[in-house]
Amino acid sequence: MTNNNTSNDVLLDFDLLSRLVVGIGEVSDMTSIPRRKIRYWEEKGIIQSEKDAEGSTRRYNYINIKKVLLIKELLEDGYTLDAAAQKVELRMKSMNETFRQLAKFIDKDLPTNDQKE
DNA sequence: GTTCTCACA
DNA sequence: TGTGAGAA
């Protein structure tokens, strides 16, 4: 039971998750949440999606997939939809702030700066 | 398969 | 807070 997750999972996540953009069917199947309900949450502004190239169908990135999962778990814990949405928003906010400060930190300390566009 | 809207509980 | 149904 020892946790030997180190950098492997992170490396996997970066590449995989950035390409993980799926349709509502996949999200619905993965999360066992009805498509109708996912659209309903989006209508309430709790999650957001981009349209595909044709502009007809919804596409969800991993951030919003995580949001869906989080909302689902919070609802199962008895939260109202609004309360769950607030909790998710707070989590996203604090995570963004934390990572932004971490990025600032390593930016300052990284000596190699030979990258060009 | 997806979209939307209107109605209904 | 969702669902059903019909139409595109």
Side-chain angles (χ1 to χ4, degrees), chain A residues 15-61:
Chain A
D15 195 47
L16 176 65
L17 295 186
S18 64
R19 286 162 213 284
L20 212 172
V21 180
V22 296
I24 195 171
E26 282 72 40
V27 180
S28 176
D29 292 342
M30 287 168 57
T31 59
S32 304
I33 300 172
R35 291 152 174 74
R36 193 72 176 69
K37 194 186 275 190
I38 293 175
R39 292 191 205 99
Y40 176 70
W41 290 356
E42 181 169 357
E43 185 185 347
K44 299 291 249 181
I46 295 171
I47 57 176
Q48 40 276 150
S49 71
E50 308 123 23
K51 293 306 187 71
D52 65 351
E54 289 82 25
S56 56
T57 65
R58 294 169 169 82
R59 318 241 72 209
Y60 296 93
N61 57 24

Side-chain angles (χ1 to χ4, degrees), chain A residues 18 27 45 51 53 59 74 83 88 91 94 97-98 106-108:
Chain A
S18 64
V27 180
K51 293 306 187 71
R59 318 241 72 209
L74 290 172
V88 169
R91 284 173 78 115
S94 69
E97 282 184 18
T98 301
I106 64 174
D107 219 21
K108 192 171 57 180

Side-chain angles (χ1 to χ4, degrees), chain A residues 41 65-76 84 87-88 91-92 95:
Chain A
W41 290 356
I65 297 173
K66 287 179 76 167
K67 280 192 188 179
V68 168
L69 237 21
L70 246 171
I71 297 284
K72 177 194 177 180
E73 291 173 6
L74 290 172
L75 290 181
E76 286 169 352
K87 259 187 145 3
V88 169
R91 284 173 78 115
M92 301 300 289
M95 281 200 185

Side-chain angles (χ1 to χ4, degrees), chain A residues 86-102:
Chain A
Q86 284 182 20
K87 259 187 145 3
V88 169
E89 214 168 324
L90 281 179
R91 284 173 78 115
M92 301 300 289
K93 185 181 176 185
S94 69
M95 281 200 185
N96 284 337
E97 282 184 18
T98 301
F99 277 103
R100 191 163 40 77
Q101 293 181 21
L102 283 171

